[in-house]
Amino acid sequence: MLTSGSCDNVRIPRSEEVCWNKMEASVILPILKKKLAFLSGGKDRRSGLILTIPLCLEQTNMDELSVTLDYLLSIPSEKCKARGFTVIVDGRKSQWNVVKTVVLMLQNVVPAEVSLVCVVKPDEFWDKKVTHFCFWKEKDRLGFEVILVSANKLTRYIEPCQLTEDFGGSLTYDHMDWLNKRLVFEKFTKESTSLLDELALINNGSDKGNQQEKERSVDLNFLPSLDPETVLQTGHELLSELQQRRFNGSDGGVSWSPMDDELLAQPQVMKLLDSLREQYTRYQEVCRQRSKRTQLEEIQQKVMQVVNWLEGPGSEQLRAQWGIGDSIRASQALQQKHEEIESQHSEWFAVYVELNQQIAALLNAGDEEDLVELKSLQQQLSDVCYRQASQLEFRQNLLQAALEFHGVAQDLSQQLDGLLGMLCVDVAPADGASIQQTLKLLEEKLKSVDVGLQGLREKGQGLLDQISNQASWAYGKDVTIENKENVDHIQGVMEDMQLRKQRCEDMVDVRRLKMLQMVQLFKCEEDAAQAVEWLSELLDALLKTHIRLGDDAQETKVLLEKHRKFVDVAQSTYDYGRQLLQATVVLCQSLRCTSRSSGETLPRLNRVWKQFTVASEERVHRLEMAIAFHSNAEKILQDCPEEPEAINDEEQFDEIEAVGKSLLDRLTVPVVYPDGTEQYFGSPSDMASTAEHIRDRMKLVSLKRQQLRHPEMMTAES
């Protein structure tokens, strides 16, 4: 019987204590799983095995119990049976009549082997009916002694280490593990016996076939129904389990050694393993010889299959594929088709690799008579496979180059479309900077198109070189016509791109000229506006800083000269602005557009210039009046006896006085512009200072006049 579980503290009946029987556990497996009875592995004080019958609340099927007992009692060896059994009937969860029936059944099942039956009674004992049946009085009739005992009193008859935990003992029992191990033992014994018969038949038949018909294949190619490796592995694991269980203790208790007649399972397994190894070794040699005889034939057949397919359907597939497509999508479709062809070839190339390895192995270990044929097969296979692989690689490289060519052509076409779209849109920038940015972007796009066209030429030339190197051997036929179509397509694409690029370049030249004119237009408009600003600043400076009229005639003349130069600067600024605005008109006519600023700038320029002219003329009048005033005043105030008649002229004094008063009145009058607005020279304090100086000079002249009228006043003063 097999042991239970892998845990060290688990002890169940050992395989060493059993022998092989004809009843198989697999046949009554559903019944055995019910655990109606079991051999826990424990022993009584006479070294007899303990048989436990655990009764339950449910009704026990006596037929199934009988079958279980028959199977369990057939497991131990005859010597173990001779020592007798101690049967423990656990009636704590059952009724008395069931217990009684089971005890009586033992008389019919194992009367000679049972030495003691211990009926474990419940804590609350059965009714008094049990007293009407005294087992001890029936000992002679039953053939064994029956005692009623409580679970805690069971140790009086059996050592605690030999009792399971259900009865307060320390012996652990796993019924399912025991059952599984038992199934393994029976399965190994059955399978190994069957396998030995099959291997012997194969080996003997092979020897007879070799002797009688060495050249003819004998019909002995059938395989054993079981895998010898698996059966051997199962046997070794089983033997290892048996050997490990020989001297195991229980829960740290005293270890024991089985008797010699209890070690039946181990030598039986060892004997079966030895026989299996011997027959399996012979079988392997038979298989090796058989494989050696048939492998060469199989290799020859497979080599011809590979060669015939590659030279037949494989080559035909490649012959049908010669185009390169006229677009990315078409090239990708051809690539996908080629990948399918490569996938089919890969399966045959895998067969080639396998065959090459097999041939190499046979060349290393084969007979000399097979070497020539093997080398010939290997050479033929390699030549065909390498030639077909070269054709596939060439086709793949060609399609990849075509895909790259069409990709570059598509990118270039998109760049040309973008450039053309940009050129077809009217330029309406906001200022010169945006025009410069647009012009820069246009130049970059044109440069990108140049780079793309150069890349297209390189890709196209590379593709043409590949096509020109495509010889007739590549696909096994003349491909001149197909190549011409591909070449014409490639050259046509490159020429079309060149023409499109040239048209775009012409349009870029026109657009560049137009944009440069627009830059110039914006520049003229900006400079014209700046001229207006400058003229406005000159006007502002004239009104705020050109205030003084001079302290004498000489200084006033210098101021007048400076004013005329100042006016010349303003005139130059005005003329510059007019020229710029005239240039904007010419540019707008050339560009066929309307200037945004000329309609505003020209009126502003003219308005500011008119204001400046009015203010400048007023300034000139004041300076000229100041010169006249200072000149006449200075003549009178100077003591010139050479011209007494001039000094004595009253009209001259009246004129000086009139000019001075007129100048003082003019200083208080604002400048009136053509649009009716008014503007004063300088601040009131500035005008007051100038007027005060003129009044002082007029006082001197008046005093001089009085002196001339009354000479005695001059004498008295002197």
Side-chain angles (χ1 to χ4, degrees):
M1 185 178 67
L2 294 177
T3 60
S4 66
S6 59
C7 299
D8 294 339
N9 61 346
V10 178
R11 183 183 175 201
I12 63 171
R14 294 168 172 76
S15 299
E16 299 91 334
E17 302 169 358
V18 301
C19 64
W20 175 244
N21 61 92
K22 295 183 179 180
M23 184 180 295
E24 296 182 7
S26 59
V27 177
I28 58 172
L29 183 60
I31 298 176
L32 293 177
K33 286 183 177 181
K34 295 181 179 181
K35 197 181 177 182
L36 301 176
F38 62 88
L39 293 169
S40 64
K43 294 183 179 181
D44 56 22
R45 290 187 173 89
R46 298 187 303 275
S47 297
L49 296 177
I50 297 176
L51 176 64
T52 304
I53 303 176
L55 301 177
C56 58
L57 294 176
E58 299 178 357
Q59 185 67 29
T60 302
N61 190 316
M62 293 302 166
D63 293 335
E64 293 181 349
L65 178 59
S66 177
V67 171
T68 303
L69 292 175
D70 289 341
Y71 177 77
L72 293 176
L73 295 175
S74 67
I75 293 175
S77 63
E78 294 300 327
K79 290 185 178 181
C80 288
K81 292 179 182 179
R83 288 194 289 268
F85 291 89
T86 293
V87 182
I88 299 177
V89 180
D90 188 0
R92 290 176 293 178
K93 298 180 181 180
S94 183
Q95 299 177 357
W96 164 247
N97 57 348
V98 176
V99 174
K100 178 180 176 182
T101 303
V102 171
V103 172
L104 293 176
M105 185 180 67
L106 293 175
Q107 179 184 13
N108 299 325
V109 179
V110 283
E113 286 91 355
V114 177
S115 59
L116 176 63
V117 176
C118 296
V119 179
V120 181
K121 61 184 179 180
D123 294 336
E124 296 181 0
F125 198 54
W126 296 294
D127 57 25
K128 293 183 180 181
K129 292 180 181 180
V130 71
T131 59
H132 299 293
F133 185 84
C134 298
F135 285 112
W136 64 272
K137 294 180 181 180
E138 300 294 332
K139 179 178 180 180
D140 294 337
R141 186 173 65 85
L142 292 174
F144 48 79
E145 181 182 2
V146 181
I147 59 174
L148 297 175
V149 63
S150 300
N152 56 0
K153 300 295 182 60
L154 196 58
T155 54
R156 295 180 180 178
Y157 306 95
I158 303 172
E159 295 295 333
C161 64
Q162 303 297 325
L163 291 173
T164 60
E165 296 176 353
D166 295 336
F167 304 109
S170 59
L171 181 63
T172 303
Y173 173 73
D174 187 340
H175 184 70
M176 291 307 299
D177 187 68
W178 168 83
L179 185 57
N180 291 333
K181 293 295 190 300
R182 184 65 192 175
L183 290 172
V184 172
F185 174 75
E186 293 182 358
K187 179 182 178 183
F188 169 72
T189 306
K190 181 179 179 181
E191 290 181 350
S192 59
T193 303
S194 175
L195 182 59
L196 281 172
D197 294 339
E198 293 179 1
L199 292 178
L201 178 62
I202 294 173
N203 294 336
N204 294 335
S206 177
D207 293 340
K208 183 177 180 181
N210 286 337
Q211 292 174 2
Q212 295 178 355
E213 301 180 7
K214 183 176 181 180
E215 297 297 331
R216 186 170 58 88
S217 176
V218 184
D219 188 15
L220 295 173
N221 293 330
F222 63 88
L223 299 175
S225 59
L226 299 172
D227 181 20
E229 294 286 349
T230 303
V231 177
L232 284 171
Q233 182 179 358
T234 303
H236 285 299
E237 292 175 355
L238 178 60
L239 181 61
S240 177
E241 183 73 17
L242 294 175
Q243 291 173 345
Q244 290 176 3
R245 297 283 178 171
R246 288 188 59 183
F247 300 101
N248 285 344
S250 176
D251 291 337
V254 180
S255 61
W256 61 277
S257 176
M259 300 298 292
D260 293 339
D261 56 357
E262 295 173 339
L263 305 176
L264 298 177
Q266 180 177 336
Q268 183 178 358
V269 173
M270 293 177 63
K271 183 177 180 181
L272 287 173
L273 286 174
D274 292 340
S275 300
L276 276 176
R277 280 192 291 267
E278 180 183 356
Q279 290 294 334
Y280 184 49
T281 301
R282 292 182 57 195
Y283 171 73
Q284 288 178 319
E285 180 61 23
V286 170
C287 291
R288 192 185 69 81
Q289 294 295 335
R290 184 185 302 163
S291 175
K292 183 178 178 181
R293 290 193 302 269
T294 59
Q295 191 173 13
L296 182 58
E297 297 177 359
E298 293 176 355
I299 287 176
Q300 291 175 339
Q301 183 180 1
K302 290 181 179 179
V303 167
M304 294 312 301
Q305 289 178 351
V306 174
V307 170
N308 291 336
W309 190 90
L310 292 178
E311 292 183 342
S315 297
E316 187 61 32
Q317 289 178 348
L318 286 177
R319 292 190 189 100
Q321 299 294 317
W322 54 266
I324 61 173
D326 56 359
S327 63
I328 292 180
R329 182 176 298 180
S331 296
Q332 289 175 342
L334 290 174
Q335 270 193 334
Q336 183 176 0
K337 179 63 177 177
H338 184 72
E339 289 174 358
E340 295 175 358
I341 296 175
E342 282 186 333
S343 178
Q344 297 180 21
H345 279 74
S346 297
E347 298 177 1
W348 291 97
F349 288 153
V351 177
Y352 157 70
V353 173
E354 181 181 356
L355 287 174
N356 199 36
Q357 294 175 350
Q358 294 177 3
I359 293 174
L362 290 177
L363 288 174
N364 293 331
D367 298 333
E368 293 185 359
E369 58 185 11
D370 300 330
L371 292 180
V372 176
E373 184 177 1
L374 287 173
K375 288 182 178 181
S376 176
L377 287 173
Q378 188 180 43
Q379 187 63 41
Q380 180 185 10
L381 184 62
S382 298
D383 291 343
V384 174
C385 289
Y386 277 114
R387 183 170 61 252
Q388 199 75 357
S390 298
Q391 296 174 7
L392 289 170
E393 183 180 6
F394 176 84
R395 176 64 179 170
Q396 177 61 34
N397 293 337
L398 184 66
L399 290 177
Q400 182 62 34
L403 181 62
E404 294 175 358
F405 172 77
H406 289 124
V408 174
Q410 178 174 298
D411 294 341
L412 179 58
S413 178
Q414 293 175 352
Q415 291 177 3
L416 288 169
D417 291 341
L419 180 58
L420 183 61
M422 185 176 179
L423 293 171
C424 291
V425 176
D426 289 337
V427 180
D431 50 30
S434 61
I435 293 180
Q436 292 285 3
Q437 185 67 25
T438 304
L439 185 58
K440 181 181 178 181
L441 180 61
L442 196 63
E443 297 291 348
E444 290 177 352
K445 284 185 173 292
L446 185 59
K447 183 178 180 181
S448 178
V449 167
D450 289 335
V451 174
L453 183 60
Q454 182 61 31
L456 180 67
R457 289 172 180 155
E458 294 176 356
K459 293 293 184 182
Q461 188 59 47
L463 186 56
L464 290 174
D465 292 341
Q466 283 186 287
I467 293 176
S468 64
N469 293 331
Q470 182 180 3
S472 60
W473 62 266
Y475 302 111
K477 68 172 185 177
D478 189 1
V479 293
T480 304
I481 299 177
E482 291 81 357
N483 281 348
K484 185 178 185 303
E485 294 182 7
N486 294 332
V487 170
D488 291 343
H489 168 69
I490 296 169
Q491 292 177 346
V493 170
M494 292 193 293
E495 291 174 358
D496 179 64
M497 293 299 171
Q498 177 63 39
L499 291 175
R500 291 179 60 186
K501 188 252 185 183
Q502 185 62 48
R503 287 195 296 269
C504 287
E505 282 183 342
D506 296 339
M507 295 178 68
V508 166
D509 292 339
V510 176
R511 177 57 59 88
R512 184 187 296 109
L513 178 59
K514 182 177 181 180
M515 296 181 75
L516 290 176
Q517 288 179 340
M518 294 186 70
V519 171
Q520 187 176 3
L521 172 62
F522 279 112
K523 182 63 176 174
C524 290
E525 292 178 346
E526 292 174 0
D527 291 348
Q530 184 64 47
V532 175
E533 294 297 327
W534 288 342
L535 194 58
S536 298
E537 292 175 359
L538 292 174
L539 175 61
D540 189 61
L542 174 63
L543 294 172
K544 293 181 179 180
T545 61
H546 294 211
I547 301 171
R548 294 181 70 254
L549 297 179
D551 296 336
D552 52 32
Q554 183 63 34
E555 184 180 359
T556 304
K557 291 179 180 179
V558 172
L559 291 175
L560 181 59
E561 184 64 26
K562 288 183 178 180
H563 176 72
R564 287 171 178 165
K565 293 181 179 179
F566 183 76
V567 172
D568 292 340
V569 172
Q571 181 69 47
S572 299
T573 303
Y574 171 72
D575 294 339
Y576 176 65
R578 293 279 298 183
Q579 292 173 1
L580 290 173
L581 291 176
Q582 183 63 33
T584 59
V585 173
V586 175
L587 289 173
C588 287
Q589 292 176 351
S590 176
L591 295 172
R592 297 180 181 179
C593 66
T594 302
S595 175
R596 300 175 304 168
S597 59
S598 60
E600 302 174 359
T601 307
L602 182 59
R604 285 179 55 206
L605 179 64
N606 291 330
R607 183 174 63 254
V608 174
W609 175 246
K610 289 180 181 180
Q611 292 175 352
F612 183 86
T613 302
V614 173
S616 176
E617 290 176 352
E618 178 63 23
R619 173 69 173 167
V620 170
H621 290 325
R622 292 184 182 186
L623 288 173
E624 289 178 346
M625 291 176 66
I627 291 173
F629 172 75
H630 286 301
S631 297
N632 293 330
E634 288 173 358
K635 290 179 180 180
I636 293 175
L637 293 176
Q638 291 176 357
D639 188 8
C640 299
E642 295 83 2
E643 300 178 357
E645 67 282 358
I647 298 177
N648 294 327
D649 189 356
E650 288 292 334
E651 292 180 359
Q652 189 172 7
F653 281 101
D654 294 337
E655 182 180 356
I656 293 173
E657 185 177 359
V659 172
K661 289 180 179 180
S662 178
L663 183 58
L664 288 174
D665 292 338
R666 202 168 190 110
L667 290 176
T668 61
V669 177
V671 179
V672 180
Y673 296 142
D675 58 358
T677 59
E678 298 178 352
Q679 184 67 41
Y680 287 91
F681 277 94
S683 62
S685 60
D686 295 333
M687 291 296 100
S689 176
T690 303
E692 185 64 25
H693 178 71
I694 295 173
R695 291 190 184 96
D696 290 343
R697 180 59 66 92
M698 289 178 67
K699 289 179 180 179
L700 291 176
V701 172
S702 178
L703 181 61
K704 184 71 175 180
R705 184 177 186 179
Q706 293 176 3
Q707 290 176 352
L708 292 176
R709 287 179 179 177
H710 306 283
E712 64 278 4
M713 293 178 61
M714 296 179 63
T715 304
E717 289 177 359
S718 60

